[in-house]
Amino acid sequence: MRIRDWDRNLKVRLFSEALMNVTFWMFFPFMAIYFTESFGKDNAGLLLIFSQIFSVLASLMGGYYADRFGRKRMMVLAAYGQGVAFFMFAFASSPWFTSPLVGFICFTFAGICGSFYWPASQAMIADVVPEEHRSSVFAVFYTSINIAVVVGPIIGGMFYADYRFELLLAVALSGFALATLLAKWLRETVPMEVVVEQYSGKWYKVIWKQVRQYGVIGRDRTFLLFIVAGILVGQTFMQLDLLIPVYTKEVIDKQTLFSIGDWSITLGGEKAFGLLISENGLLVALLTVCVTRWMERYQERFVFVGSSIVYGVSILLFGQTESIWGLIFIMALFTFAELMTAGIQQSFISKLAPEEMRGQYFAAASLRWTIGRTIAPFSITATLWMSYQWTFFLLSLLAFVSAFLYVIMFQRFEKQRAKRVGMQP
């Protein structure tokens, strides 16, 4: 499905979200280093865990409201909220006022807004794209994000240390611009029969109703296994902006990347990490669509299981080398694991989800990231109790367990699908 044939909503989002993503990735990869330097490893890990608890709750509520009040409304409100959060974060890193604690609070609020935005944005794609084209559309959006992952850290690496205020201000302005464009150009796509304009109950009744709604999803054992396996394997790739930047900063000394005569490029610490994350983004930007089409030739069972195994191997290797060229090779392997499921996982969720609960299923599926990210910062604290090598080993073990859970999940899924086909006249 070519971009020119897309629904207008998707075209507007593709280009407006690209602006936000580029500015966001100018500073986001360095947040683990910033909070670790500001609060220490032990406190930084606990604070990041605390931050993600709120994102989990917001993600649950976000799917509920995306189904009840509309995709557009939730996306616009969330984008404005992120703009406000980053503006306050910029103020807390300004020449006139500096407070890492205020910055952390703003970072947490921005994460909450992102958790409201995500399920609505994913459900909107499923609303307007036929099932047979969803994988390719999701892959294009994923590629767009990873182009930002290439460009953003390169710019951020040059300006982050001395111009943090200006970078955060740019993110805030991008958030306001995104919200304005979405409000002006998007149309609502949620099926009108499930839109509720007002809810007259108390706030705690809304939460209780939400818990009951997700209780229905929890009884879908196949979907529940999908979430748990995703949380476990997420402990590997979430270290890309948690443990891996701290590891490269502390362990990787200055090394020569290239040397031609008297001219050479040396990297170490934060610059080495900037190179690795830019490599990840570049490979994803170049290869997402290609690898997605390749993976579509295989059964989803083999793709998900294979991705977890490759993640486990690559994260294990991370802790075994201090060579910059070794890390570049391992990052390529790590990225391949990411690309294997990049385009098909959202399409697979839409297969599991009833149409009237699509927003909630996407929100519940995002628990793989929100709950996973809640647990992931433990890795930073774990390095205080054990070596980096043992920490990476435990992360790889979780990835291998997730592969086993995917095997069980697909056995259940295929039995359910065969049963549905057998019941059709």
Side-chain angles (χ1 to χ4, degrees), residues 3 7 44 49 52 87 101 120 144 176 194 196 206 220 224 237 264-265 270 286 355 390 393 414:
I3 293 179
D7 184 277
I49 291 168
Q52 289 305 310
F87 182 81
L101 181 59
S144 173
F176 292 134
V194 301
V196 177
V206 176
D220 185 341
L224 190 59
F237 62 77
S264 64
I265 297 178
E270 289 137 328
L286 293 176
E355 183 177 352
W390 274 106
F393 171 77
E414 289 167 4

Side-chain angles (χ1 to χ4, degrees), residues 357-424:
M357 296 182 68
R358 187 173 284 156
Q360 287 177 262
Y361 263 71
F362 274 110
S366 71
L367 291 175
R368 293 172 297 158
W369 322 136
T370 49
I371 293 179
R373 187 165 286 278
T374 301
I375 304 170
F378 271 119
S379 63
I380 296 176
T381 305
T383 60
L384 296 173
W385 310 326
M386 62 184 76
S387 66
Y388 278 112
Q389 287 75 18
W390 274 106
T391 303
F392 282 118
F393 171 77
L394 291 176
L395 291 170
S396 69
L397 188 61
L398 294 178
F400 296 140
V401 173
S402 78
F404 176 71
L405 292 181
Y406 277 131
V407 171
I408 298 174
M409 182 205 73
F410 275 102
Q411 288 176 347
R412 291 182 58 90
F413 175 68
E414 289 167 4
K415 288 180 181 178
Q416 291 172 352
R417 185 163 55 181
K419 184 177 180 180
R420 287 196 298 267
V421 171
M423 293 176 62
Q424 292 177 356

